[in-house]
Amino acid sequence: MIAVDLLMETALVSVARVDGRIIASEFVSGISLESAPRLASLIGLVEKHADAHPGFGPLRALSISTTGTVDDSGTIMSTTSVPAWNGFALGRRLEERFGLPVRVENDINAAAFGEFALRVGEKQLDDGDDLLLVALSRSVLTGLVMGGRIHRGRGFNAGEVGLIVAEGPGPVEGQLEHAAEIIGSAAAVLDPSVIVIAVPMAQLPDAIGEINSHLRESRAAASTPLSFEGHD
């Protein structure tokens, strides 16, 4: 299996065996934002890595995580990061090209499920548990796993909060009160087994500390304690 995390101008490619063990990975920058060359780069990366590991048998499936709202057919319904791919049927195009099952998922949803699967594999969570991932950069984005499945919502927009909390590439002290409000509200409604906060590593301890401080001030004393895990 080959998985590609395709962001605005970068791609992280991983090759894994059917048991999930990663056997190779590559980070690539300079990915075009234009539709045709972007697709060509993605296909080229998949072909390169599919040909590089013949000893592990034929390629069986592709998984792509990317920015934007993605429906269950693998069509990118909308994306502000790569406007040329608004309405682009990426899943269908890759299935036609490779003749394989293809899964295309929003990047935050994919990250949330990855965090969930890791904890299930390590026996920290059961396969029917819930997990909320909160990704903080300039804005607040969330991914939710409920009952062991990604929750996308009726219009595939669940978690697309989009609240701007920082002027630069990541949050700094004093900019996380709104993020704490979102986390507190989500925790009260969803009661997840664990909440994972993803921020740049250099800002991780301060970010979690500030969010916890805001939550202590806003949540009732009798509220169920929240379980946080930081992640860069």
Side-chain angles (χ1 to χ4, degrees):
M1 175 179 178
I2 292 178
V4 184
D5 184 28
L6 183 64
L7 301 182
M8 283 185 64
E9 297 177 300
T10 64
L12 177 61
V13 186
S14 294
V15 183
R17 304 189 319 188
V18 292
D19 63 0
R21 179 182 175 186
I22 295 175
I23 59 175
S25 61
E26 179 185 12
F27 178 80
V28 178
S29 59
I31 302 294
S32 175
L33 297 178
E34 297 300 318
S35 182
R38 185 176 181 83
L39 179 61
S41 294
L42 177 57
I43 289 174
L45 286 170
V46 172
E47 291 177 334
K48 171 185 173 181
H49 284 276
D51 294 340
H53 307 283
F56 289 93
L59 181 61
R60 296 181 180 273
L62 297 176
S63 179
I64 313 294
S65 62
T66 189
T67 61
T69 301
V70 182
D71 71 12
D72 53 9
S73 74
T75 295
I76 301 172
M77 300 169 63
S78 64
T79 168
T80 57
S81 300
V82 190
W85 269 11
N86 281 328
F88 187 65
L90 179 59
R92 179 177 59 80
R93 295 290 294 272
L94 293 175
E95 286 175 353
E96 291 174 350
R97 174 64 182 80
F98 293 102
L100 295 169
V102 177
R103 174 72 174 270
V104 182
E105 186 58 73
N106 167 269
D107 57 337
I108 303 300
N109 285 345
F113 192 78
E115 295 287 346
F116 175 79
L118 177 65
R119 286 159 178 78
V120 170
E122 295 177 346
K123 309 300 183 183
Q124 299 174 14
L125 293 176
D126 294 329
D127 56 11
D129 279 341
D130 306 328
L131 178 143
L132 174 66
L133 171 69
V134 182
L136 303 175
S137 53
R138 290 186 64 248
S139 61
V140 180
L141 296 172
T142 66
L144 176 63
V145 176
M146 297 182 66
R149 299 173 64 89
I150 294 173
H151 179 70
R152 300 175 182 83
R154 181 179 59 84
F156 306 98
N157 274 309
E160 296 291 327
V161 179
L163 176 68
I164 303 297
V165 295
E167 298 295 332
V172 296
E173 184 178 358
Q175 295 180 326
L176 292 173
E177 183 174 358
H178 290 313
E181 291 172 356
I182 291 172
I183 293 170
S185 297
V189 173
L190 302 170
D191 192 23
S193 306
V194 66
I195 298 173
V196 178
I197 301 176
V199 295
M201 178 58 78
Q203 298 158 331
L204 182 57
D206 291 340
I208 291 181
E210 183 178 345
I211 288 172
N212 267 321
S213 176
H214 288 305
L215 287 172
R216 282 195 299 269
E217 294 173 1
S218 62
R219 283 170 60 84
S223 298
T224 302
L226 299 180
S227 175
F228 286 101
E229 296 184 23
H231 201 286
D232 67 326

